[in-house]
């Protein structure tokens, strides 16, 4: 069965760092990425990566601060978040797509989703 299991969320002060992990099982995915959703807002694209890692796409709001990576031997994707800001506070969701959708940030392009992990950044 396909399953995405997320971990690494928590509470951090502004300027701090967190690393999120998403372990996939059941199959491999051509594209994987992260979305986030704050209360009262729509789900927002954060970043995506191709299977090889050669292609990435970052939202402007996180460029220079967040880094996505993959360990295909473990079928796991990571999100290193540095210089966190209060506006980064949200539930972060891991997403996976059978198709190569790195350049298409809409959530409807993704086939599978993790349960979400809360990231809270205090000022």
């Amino acid at each position: 069965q396909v399953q995405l299991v997320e971990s690494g969320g928590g509470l951090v002060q502004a300027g701090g760092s967190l690393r999120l992990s998403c372990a996939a099982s059941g199959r491999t995915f051509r594209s994987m990425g992260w979305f986030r959703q704050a209360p009262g807002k729509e789900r927002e694209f954060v970043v995506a990566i191709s299977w090889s890692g050669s292609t990435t796409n970052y939202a402007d709001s996180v460029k220079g601060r967040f880094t996505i990576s993959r360990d295909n031997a473990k079928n796991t994707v990571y999100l290193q978040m540095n210089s966190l800001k209060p506006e980064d506070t949200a539930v972060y969701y891991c997403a996976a797509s059978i198709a190569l959708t790195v350049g298409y940030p809409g959530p409807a392009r993704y086939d599978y989703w993790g349960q979400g992990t809360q990231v809270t950044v205090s000022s």
Side-chain angles (χ1 to χ4, degrees), residues 10-84:
L11 175 65
V12 65
Q13 292 185 333
S17 299
L18 286 172
R19 190 171 86 148
L20 307 183
S21 298
C22 175
S25 61
R27 65 163 298 148
T28 58
F29 301 94
R30 193 165 297 169
S31 301
M32 296 188 70
W34 293 90
F35 290 74
R36 65 188 183 186
Q37 188 167 20
K41 296 185 178 180
E42 295 182 349
R43 192 163 297 187
E44 175 190 19
F45 171 78
V46 178
V47 62
I49 188 169
S50 63
W51 188 90
S52 68
S54 62
T55 303
T56 57
N57 185 22
Y58 290 87
D60 288 341
S61 59
V62 304
K63 286 180 179 177
R65 300 189 298 119
F66 291 10
T67 303
I68 190 170
S69 61
R70 300 183 71 154
D71 183 346
N72 289 336
K74 298 180 179 179
N75 204 12
T76 298
V77 65
Y78 305 94
L79 182 64
Q80 179 66 46
M81 305 185 293
N82 298 326
S83 301
L84 283 163

